[in-house]
């Protein structure tokens, strides 16, 4: 059997590999069949029927996105029948859609609008006739659902159930009464980890992040408030996309300048607290290993697992509540910095925590939930007040009229703005592990992590589960108990992968010392709050930008950051000190999975 | 153990109405344990659950999800997709009024109005004493005899509004009137 098939599409011959869909085969011919629900690698179910074609010998029109090309097929993509059917499908969709484009956050970034342009449809023709009353679900700290905008494409259902294996939302009822919703309650009370992957794939404004832009704007205007902003590692490699720049543009300097021009009183870097996290988490790992290896204490919770991704943390709390002791007690960098700003920094300035508003810019919708957790108030008030996503910051930059790409490069403010390259790679899946190893290996052996360019081979990537083993040799005296010990490590991203890994860990099939999990596929560079679209190609471009930022830094290891030394000397004492525990560590809760 | 036919196990000798809530959940669990390892058995399980509980209240749906390890949103999705499943408690008797075109123009609408007034409920609801569920159907294929009303398995033809009370009388409250079922709580 030959590996290719030959068919004709609109009278043109084309030969494509077996297994290709008619939609893809048409693309080979430079023919763009319109699609809407189809999303490569995520959702391929032929739901919306926008992409129908006529196949000779078949009475019904067929969805080309799920129709496999076969030898001898004669396909028409532009016959009268096809065009009529396509327009009818689209008309029905539009009549059941709340079309307030001018007031809609997706205006000019909307796949339904794009389709309208492609089809040349005059939206004014279609009166609105919502089949069911419009429902706004504002129960979640992270996300809002607007049923009036939902076109029932089901991408969100696929990503939530298949990619993330959470299954929060599904299609309820049927026919004109159908809706995409959780089982009984709003998103905020359902089993949802707030990862925002649903919002990232939604073609319209039917699932989106809960707005924090307006309260931030008000805080900036309020003269009584000292408003401080922090930006996550992944923002510098993605915010450019919201301003028309290509994926993978590294724009750290413009980002800082934009934030200063918007009127923030200080611009700090979540990277700084990523370095701090490495010191706290690295020392915690060594302490756990010591109890297990040197003291033979079998009650130690190993493998230790990273705790910086709030989607992952809530996933574990829901589905593996028995493993929450394995999570590092170290807070995420966002929360560490919030606490440090409202304690150490506030004291230096003679301010009360109430006078300060901490805003963070995150690639993540789950960070909004994390900031709202009752545990996150160690400064005496809420440690992080508002969290805007990369997309929300993009909107703010536009509102401020900034010509982003051409802004001069700015510098983060001291004392919470400088960071090592190890902090940058927190944005990439595998980066937290690598950053921890750069420090832990050097602390234990006195020598640099023995890998070319400090990158552990095959650790950072956007796919699957990666495992590495690192053996400690010629250790320093303090760590003689680690001599010859091989640390087994695993890294993954995306909650479907995490579930597989956790099933192996909890059944005892796999044994590790340390595991890094990021809730979103690829890590924070693919977060649920990042610019749309986030395809694998885009993930890889952002990934490379982050690696370039790391490699371009004079300091590549967290423990070399002089400003981290300074806060331990001035304020915290030493890593895992009593004070550090009070301010920088947290605890977790067990939650129900149904 | 060979499972046998769980559907039959559930239906046979169920006497479900006499069971306590807890016993109903136990009974359901026996069946779910058999199905747990079989993918694609959700519909069967919901069928069993409806046989035991009479309808599918939310706590029962949550329970099925938990025991099968299937997301709750998928379970409620299936339960609300098939008209065979009912998420509301059902009365002892179901009165269906045809509102297909023929029945509608020949007085179906008036019949519905009378039923709504006399029973004090809307279509899709169940009377408080648990006796009647009122439903709308669209054309049952007996247009020549319109307007048509179905009472449980019986068909009433060319119904006049004045005859509605007679029809209801045939399904007079049974000897053991039962109050509307108390809300079900999930027993884990
Ligand atoms: S989702 Fe798109 S089409 Fe709908 S109102 Fe918003 S911008 Fe317009
Ligand atoms: S935020 Fe994540 S878990 Fe929640 S509904 Fe969306 S995809 Fe599912
Ligand atoms: S919420 Fe968005 S992604 Fe989900 S079905 Fe509706 S339109 Fe599609
Ligand atoms: S794009 Fe093919 S059916 Fe929706
Ligand atoms: S319309 Fe009622 S039976 Fe046909």
């Amino acid at each position: 059997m030959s590996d290719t098939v030959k068919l004709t599409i609109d009278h043109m011959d084309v030969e494509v590999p077996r297994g290709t869909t008619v939609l893809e085969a048409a693309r080979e011919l430079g023919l763009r069949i319109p699609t809407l629900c189809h999303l490569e690698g995520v959702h391929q179910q032929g739901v919306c029927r926008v992409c129908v074609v006529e196949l000779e010998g078949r009475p019904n029109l067929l969805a080309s996105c799920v129709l496999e090309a076969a030898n001898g097929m004669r396909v028409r993509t532009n016959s009268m029948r096809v065009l009529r059917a396509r327009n009818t499908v689209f008309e029905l969709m539009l009549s059941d859609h709340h079309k307030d484009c001018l007031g809609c956050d997706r205006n000019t970034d909307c796949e339904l609008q794009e389709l309208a342009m492609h089809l040349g449809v005059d939206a004014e023709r279609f009166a609105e006739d919502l089949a069911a009353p419009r429902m706004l679900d504002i129960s979640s700290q992270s996300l809002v659902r607007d049923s009036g905008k939902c076109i029932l494409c089901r991408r969100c259902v696929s990503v939530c159930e298949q990619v993330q294996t959470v299954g929060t939302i599904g299609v309820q009822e049927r026919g004109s009464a159908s809706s995409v919703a959780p089982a009984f309650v709003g998103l905020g009370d359902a089993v949802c980890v707030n990862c925002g992957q649903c919002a990232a794939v939604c073609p319209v404004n039917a699932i989106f992040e809960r707005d924090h832009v307006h309260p931030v704007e008000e805080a900036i205007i309020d003269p009584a408030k000292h408003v401080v902003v922090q930006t996550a590692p992944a923002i510098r490699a993605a915010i450019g996309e919201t301003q028309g720049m290509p994926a993978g543009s590294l724009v750290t300097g413009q980002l800082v300048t934009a934030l200063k021009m918007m009127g923030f009183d200080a611009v700090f870097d979540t990277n700084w607290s990523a370095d701090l996290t490495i010191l706290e988490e690295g020392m915690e790992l060594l302490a756990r290993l010591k109890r297990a290896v040197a003291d033979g204490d079998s009650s130690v919770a190993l493998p230790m697992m990273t705790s910086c991704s709030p989607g992952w943390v809530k996933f574990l709390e829901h589905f593996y509540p028995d493993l929450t002791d394995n999570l590092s007690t170290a807070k995420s960098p966002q929360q560490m910095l919030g606490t440090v700003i409202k304690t150490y920094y506030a004291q230096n300035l003679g301010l009360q925590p109430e006078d300060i508003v901490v805003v963070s810019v995150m690639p993540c919708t789950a960070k909004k939930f994390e900031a709202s957790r009752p545990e996150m108030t160690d400064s005496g008030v809420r440690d992080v007040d508002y969290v805007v996503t990369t997309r929300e910051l993009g909107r703010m930059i536009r509102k401020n009229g900034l010509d982003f790409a051409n802004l001069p490069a700015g510098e983060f403010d001291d004392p919470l703005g400088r960071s090592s390259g190890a902090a940058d790679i927190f944005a990439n899946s595998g980066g937290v592990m690598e950053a921890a190893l750069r420090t832990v290996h050097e602390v234990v052996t006195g020598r640099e992590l023995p890998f070319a360019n400090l990158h552990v081979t095959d650790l950072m990537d956007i796919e699957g589960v990666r495992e590495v083993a690192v053996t400690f040799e010629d250790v320093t005296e303090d760590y003689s108990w680690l001599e010859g010990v091989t640390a087994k490590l695993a890294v993954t991203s995306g909650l479907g992968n995490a579930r597989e890994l956790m099933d192996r860990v909890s059944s005892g099939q796999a044994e590790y010392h340390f595991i890094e999990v990021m809730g979103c596929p690829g890590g924070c560079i693919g977060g649920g709050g990042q610019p749309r679209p986030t395809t694998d190609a885009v993930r890889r471009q952002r990934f490379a930008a982050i690696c370039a930022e790391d490699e371009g830094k004079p300091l590549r290891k967290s423990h070399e950051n002089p400003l981290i030394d300074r806060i331990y000397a001035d304020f915290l004492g030493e890593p895992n000190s009593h004070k550090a525990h009070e301010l920088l560590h947290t605890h977790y809760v067990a939650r129900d999975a149904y | 153990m060979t499972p046998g036919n769980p559907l039959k196990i559930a239906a046979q000798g169920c006497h479900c109405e006499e069971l306590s809530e807890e016993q109903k959940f136990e009974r359901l669990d026996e069946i779910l344990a058999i199905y747990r390892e079989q993918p694609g058995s959700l519909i069967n399980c919901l069928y069993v659950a409806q046989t035991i509980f009479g309808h599918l209240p939310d706590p029962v749906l949550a329970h099925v999800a938990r025991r099968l390890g299937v997301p709750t949103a998928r379970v409620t999705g299936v339960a609300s997709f098939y008209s065979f499943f009912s998420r509301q408690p059902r009365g002892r008797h179901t009165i269906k009024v045809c509102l297909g075109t023929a029945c509608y123009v020949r007085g179906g609408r008036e019949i519905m109005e009378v039923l709504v007034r006399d029973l004090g409920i809307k279509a899709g609801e169940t009377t408080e004493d648990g006796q009647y569920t009122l439903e709308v159907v669209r054309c049952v294929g007996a247009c020549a005899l319109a307007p048509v009303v179905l009472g449980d398995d019986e068909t009433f033809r060319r119904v006049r509004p004045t005859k509605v009370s007679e029809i209801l009388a045939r399904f007079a409250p049974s000897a053991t009137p039962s109050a509307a079922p108390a809300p079900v709580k999930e027993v884990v």
Side-chain angles (χ1 to χ4, degrees):
Chain A
M1 202 161 70
S2 132
D3 292 345
T4 61
V5 293
K6 289 185 194 153
L7 63 163
T8 74
I9 303 179
D10 294 342
H11 314 295
M12 300 284 284
D13 293 330
V14 60
E15 184 167 355
V16 290
R18 199 171 283 282
T20 307
T21 62
V22 167
L23 177 72
E24 291 159 340
R27 279 202 194 125
E28 290 293 305
L29 286 171
L31 199 68
R32 237 188 97 207
I33 301 174
T35 59
L36 190 54
C37 67
H38 184 78
L39 187 64
E40 207 154 325
V42 173
H43 183 66
Q44 287 153 270
Q45 292 182 0
V47 175
C48 75
R49 308 201 57 79
V50 161
C51 67
V52 286
V53 294
E54 195 169 350
L55 179 59
E56 202 177 277
R58 290 287 289 270
N60 298 330
L61 299 178
L62 300 167
S64 62
C65 66
V66 289
L67 177 63
E68 190 178 326
N71 271 321
M73 273 184 169
R74 301 176 69 80
V75 177
R76 291 291 307 276
T77 77
N78 56 6
S79 66
M80 207 51 189
R81 243 185 108 202
V82 168
L83 295 180
R84 276 219 189 97
R86 200 180 275 161
N87 280 335
T88 308
V89 165
F90 190 65
E91 254 172 63
L92 286 173
M93 211 180 274
L94 277 191
S95 70
D96 198 17
H97 184 78
H98 185 66
K99 296 178 285 294
D100 64 338
C101 295
L102 281 184
C104 179
D105 283 338
R106 290 299 289 270
N107 197 16
T108 74
D109 176 26
C110 169
E111 294 182 43
L112 196 59
Q113 284 181 335
E114 250 178 67
L115 187 63
M117 272 181 302
H118 188 118
L119 298 182
V121 180
D122 168 14
E124 291 297 319
R125 260 183 54 210
F126 307 110
E128 187 167 303
D129 179 21
L130 298 190
R134 183 175 175 201
M135 284 243 317
L136 266 190
D137 175 1
I138 53 166
S139 60
S140 162
Q141 289 291 334
S142 292
L143 296 152
V144 176
R145 294 170 39 241
D146 180 351
S147 75
K149 296 281 167 82
C150 177
I151 52 165
L152 298 170
C153 72
R154 305 180 194 197
R155 283 183 185 177
C156 56
V157 177
S158 291
V159 93
C160 186
E161 200 175 317
Q162 313 300 322
V163 178
Q164 297 295 62
T165 62
V166 179
T168 313
I169 37 182
V171 184
Q172 310 298 332
E173 307 292 335
R174 65 175 189 174
S176 61
S178 45
S179 68
V180 165
F184 311 119
V185 286
L187 212 50
D189 303 302
V191 179
C192 163
V193 305
N194 304 305
C195 67
Q197 288 300 310
C198 49
V201 298
C202 182
V204 291
N205 208 40
I207 303 191
F208 51 94
E209 57 272 67
R210 186 168 169 160
D211 169 63
H212 284 197
V213 170
H214 289 96
V216 170
E217 289 170 340
E218 274 163 32
I220 290 177
I221 297 170
D222 185 346
K225 297 287 182 196
H226 185 77
V227 188
V228 173
V229 68
Q230 56 165 315
T231 73
I235 311 302
R236 61 210 72 195
I239 185 72
E241 291 165 44
T242 67
Q243 308 301 312
M245 297 170 76
S249 304
L250 191 58
V251 290
T252 320
Q254 291 100 310
L255 170 63
V256 174
T257 301
L259 293 169
K260 291 193 171 169
M261 290 176 76
M262 278 177 200
F264 286 103
D265 296 304
V267 180
F268 291 147
D269 198 350
T270 315
N271 271 17
W272 175 85
S273 50
D275 278 336
L276 186 62
T277 302
I278 287 301
L279 278 266
E280 290 297 322
E281 197 163 321
M283 292 307 130
E284 182 187 2
L285 176 65
L286 286 173
R288 290 198 197 198
L289 286 177
K290 178 152 196 285
R291 278 173 55 202
V293 177
D295 311 340
D297 179 351
S298 58
S299 69
V300 188
L302 284 175
M304 191 173 94
M305 301 173 189
T306 56
S307 57
C308 33
S309 162
W312 149 243
V313 166
K314 192 159 185 265
F315 178 81
L316 200 78
E317 290 177 326
H318 278 298
F319 296 103
Y320 301 89
D322 299 346
L323 293 179
T324 49
D325 282 347
N326 294 59
L327 284 170
S328 163
T329 58
K331 286 182 186 173
S332 72
Q334 153 172 286
Q335 294 304 141
M336 281 200 189
L337 190 49
T339 312
V340 167
I341 289 170
K342 291 203 178 179
T343 55
Y344 172 68
Y345 174 77
Q347 284 168 26
N348 287 354
L349 257 62
L351 291 172
Q352 295 302 312
E354 298 77 30
D355 304 331
I356 301 182
V357 176
V358 174
V359 177
S360 38
V361 185
M362 293 285 141
C364 176
T365 51
K367 288 280 168 193
K368 292 183 192 254
F369 169 80
E370 180 183 58
S372 79
R373 289 180 71 126
E375 300 89 358
M376 299 299 171
T377 51
D378 287 326
S379 66
V381 294
R382 191 170 144 147
D383 295 330
V384 172
D385 298 279
Y386 303 113
V387 178
V388 295
T389 62
T390 320
R391 293 189 295 260
E392 286 180 288
L393 181 66
R395 251 179 267 148
M396 292 175 74
I397 292 173
R398 282 198 296 276
K399 271 179 144 183
N400 278 271
L402 302 176
D403 177 10
F404 186 81
N406 295 315
L407 291 180
E411 296 268 349
F412 287 106
D413 291 315
D414 276 347
L416 309 172
R418 257 180 287 165
S419 62
S420 76
D424 287 297
I425 54 176
F426 266 59
N428 289 353
S429 171
V432 178
M433 175 72 73
E434 182 168 304
L437 286 175
R438 288 182 192 175
T439 288
V440 166
H441 190 273
E442 202 158 319
V443 165
V444 169
T445 67
R447 298 183 314 278
E448 236 181 27
L449 184 65
F451 286 96
N453 211 4
L454 290 177
H455 292 313
V456 180
T457 320
D458 295 334
L459 190 62
M460 279 201 273
D461 192 28
I462 66 170
E463 278 166 11
V465 176
R466 283 97 60 200
E467 299 176 331
V468 291
V470 172
T471 304
F472 296 106
E473 282 161 344
D474 294 327
V475 298
T476 61
E477 215 170 297
D478 287 350
Y479 290 95
S480 54
W481 52 273
L482 263 179
E483 181 63 41
V485 171
T486 300
K488 289 196 220 156
L489 315 165
V491 167
T492 198
S493 65
L495 295 171
N497 287 331
R499 184 182 287 278
E500 248 184 78
L501 188 58
M502 288 307 114
D503 284 344
R504 286 199 286 129
V505 166
S506 54
S507 67
Q509 269 173 287
E511 280 190 20
Y512 301 103
H513 296 100
F514 190 27
I515 294 178
E516 177 202 305
V517 180
M518 293 291 155
C520 291
C524 310
I525 45 112
Q530 292 280 52
R532 305 181 180 93
T534 296
T535 59
D536 273 354
V538 170
R539 283 188 185 93
R540 290 201 185 278
Q541 279 160 315
R542 295 179 192 154
F543 211 88
I546 289 291
C547 289
E549 181 83 335
D550 162 34
E551 288 160 14
K553 287 243 174 107
L555 301 179
R556 306 275 310 282
K557 306 163 206 158
S558 299
H559 57 278
E560 291 175 342
N561 183 342
L563 294 177
I564 297 292
D565 283 347
R566 177 153 19 131
I567 193 178
Y568 280 116
D570 289 359
F571 186 64
L572 291 170
E574 55 185 19
N576 290 357
S577 69
H578 183 68
K579 190 160 191 180
H581 258 280
E582 250 173 28
L583 296 179
L584 307 182
H585 290 252
T586 184
H587 61 272
Y588 307 99
V589 294
R591 303 176 194 266
D592 195 6
Y594 292 93
Chain B
M1 165 180 115
T2 43
N5 183 342
L7 298 181
K8 283 204 186 122
I9 302 175
Q12 275 168 9
C14 175
H15 308 298
C16 293
E17 294 190 3
E18 295 150 29
L19 298 180
S20 71
E21 280 306 284
E22 221 158 289
Q23 287 169 322
K24 287 181 187 173
F25 275 105
E26 271 169 32
R27 179 121 203 128
L28 177 60
D29 279 346
E30 286 166 30
I31 313 290
L32 294 180
I34 297 169
Y35 273 124
R36 195 187 149 86
E37 302 304 325
Q38 299 177 23
S41 57
L42 181 54
I43 293 181
N44 287 351
C45 291
L46 289 176
Y47 175 88
V48 170
Q50 180 157 298
T51 312
I52 296 173
F53 287 86
H55 68 294
L56 294 172
D58 290 354
V60 169
L61 294 173
H63 190 81
V64 170
R66 184 187 300 281
R67 286 292 189 266
L68 293 181
V70 168
T72 324
R74 178 134 50 97
V75 174
T76 54
V78 169
S80 58
F81 183 84
Y82 295 100
S83 56
F84 170 79
F85 294 125
S86 169
R87 293 177 68 177
Q88 304 306 322
R90 302 189 59 90
R92 268 161 206 275
H93 306 292
T94 305
I95 311 290
K96 297 178 184 166
V97 181
C98 180
L99 291 182
T101 314
C103 291
Y104 188 89
V105 298
R106 284 162 73 179
R109 196 170 55 95
E110 287 77 24
I111 305 235
M112 193 59 173
E113 276 165 12
V114 172
L115 277 163
V116 165
R117 192 193 60 209
D118 288 3
L119 293 176
I121 52 172
K122 290 193 287 253
E125 293 180 347
T126 297
T127 53
E128 240 175 60
D129 64 2
Q131 287 297 340
Y132 303 105
T133 296
L134 184 59
E135 283 179 357
V136 174
V137 288
R138 310 264 169 209
C139 190
V140 293
C143 304
L145 306 168
V148 172
V149 171
L150 304 170
D152 289 342
D153 298 329
E154 253 180 281
T155 310
F156 302 89
R157 295 138 183 195
R158 297 207 177 98
V159 180
R160 305 281 77 155
T162 48
K163 299 280 175 192
V164 165
S165 54
E166 265 175 51
I167 295 177
L168 287 180
R170 293 183 64 134
F171 301 98
S174 345
T176 51
S178 63
V184 178
K185 276 213 205 83
E186 185 183 0
V187 179
V188 181

